[in-house]
Amino acid sequence: MTCLAFKVVDARPEPHAAVPTIMMRLRVSETTGAKVHALALRCQLRIEPQRRRYSSDEEERLYELFGESPQWGDSLRPFLWAHVSTTLPGFSAAAEFDLPVACSYDFEVTGAKYLHALAGGEIPLLLLFSGTVFTRGTSGFSAEPVGWDQEASYRLPVSVWRGVMDLYFPNSGWLRVGRDTLDALQRFKASRALPTWDQALEQLLKQAGP
């Protein structure tokens, strides 16, 4: 039986992906001396918001997710950020590999709302691993599951997430609206000869008042 252990070494923005992507550098070790022929790996990334402190501005921006700060003892709970899969070639003892994590800037997604609200510091992550380990012995190949107890913690700098969003959405965000709402915004923008969507939204906010 193999025995694997995982550790997150580093994380960086990936500038050449089709979608905003953080490249996480991981190290996997095999601790029994067995040679791994291949590894089909799945990873669930969870954010653990209760494992960091928040400024008053961050608390205000997180109201929609967690409510008033006195409620946070009950409402601050870990939540899913992403599912990622990858395949590793054979290795002995240990190997390092990149795990690409696609990041959404859709504000309908809890993870995007949470990450956008953070001004700085670190994002407490828990990586839960599963998958299949392939080994080669005297009787041919064998396959066994990655232990369900395999996990790794990592504190991802907020600057890494902001860095990748600045690459793909410089000085901007992404907001999904219904088609009828979009049509109404288009009519409002055209009727006032406003050149940009930003200016149309600014006008509406001014009309709505504080």
Side-chain angles (χ1 to χ4, degrees):
M1 291 288 291
T2 59
C3 183
L4 302 179
F6 295 88
K7 180 182 179 181
V8 183
V9 178
D10 196 12
R12 68 184 190 278
E14 172 51 57
H16 303 299
V19 297
T21 299
I22 291 175
M23 199 66 75
M24 303 191 76
R25 187 72 175 174
L26 274 69
R27 179 179 177 86
V28 56
S29 303
E30 204 296 312
T31 60
T32 69
K35 183 176 180 179
V36 175
H37 178 72
L39 174 59
L41 188 66
R42 296 186 299 273
C43 178
Q44 180 186 124
L45 289 92
R46 299 184 67 81
I47 294 176
E48 300 188 308
Q50 76 280 8
R51 291 177 49 212
R52 61 158 283 166
R53 295 180 180 274
Y54 299 92
S55 68
S56 57
D57 287 343
E58 289 171 334
E59 289 180 3
E60 183 178 347
R61 290 195 291 269
L62 289 168
Y63 172 80
E64 183 180 356
L65 288 178
F66 305 124
E68 298 283 355
S69 54
Q71 303 172 332
W72 283 17
D74 296 321
S75 61
L76 243 60
R77 293 288 183 266
F79 60 88
L80 177 67
W81 183 27
H83 285 287
V84 185
S85 299
T86 191
T87 302
L88 278 67
F91 64 91
S92 298
E96 290 193 3
F97 62 97
D98 287 329
L99 187 69
V101 180
C103 302
S104 172
Y105 212 177
D106 182 352
F107 276 75
E108 299 298 318
V109 178
T110 299
K113 288 182 184 178
Y114 174 80
L115 296 171
H116 180 77
L118 303 182
E122 297 172 329
I123 305 157
L125 299 180
L126 180 65
L127 289 75
L128 304 173
F129 299 99
S130 60
T132 306
V133 187
F134 299 92
T135 58
R136 188 171 185 176
T138 55
S139 58
F141 291 100
S142 63
E144 59 189 72
V146 173
W148 284 100
D149 60 341
Q150 292 301 316
E151 60 183 46
S153 296
Y154 183 63
R155 301 189 73 86
L156 175 70
V158 172
S159 59
V160 173
W161 183 81
R162 292 209 173 276
V164 76
M165 289 305 166
D166 286 344
L167 283 171
Y168 290 83
F169 303 104
N171 195 34
S172 61
W174 192 92
L175 187 64
R176 183 171 58 184
V177 298
R179 189 170 299 166
D180 290 344
T181 303
L182 183 61
D183 289 343
L185 282 170
Q186 175 69 57
R187 289 193 297 270
F188 178 85
K189 178 174 174 287
S191 67
R192 286 158 177 78
L194 298 171
T196 67
W197 292 107
D198 267 350
Q199 288 177 322
L201 291 171
E202 285 174 4
Q203 286 285 332
L204 286 169
L205 288 170
K206 285 179 181 177
Q207 291 179 17

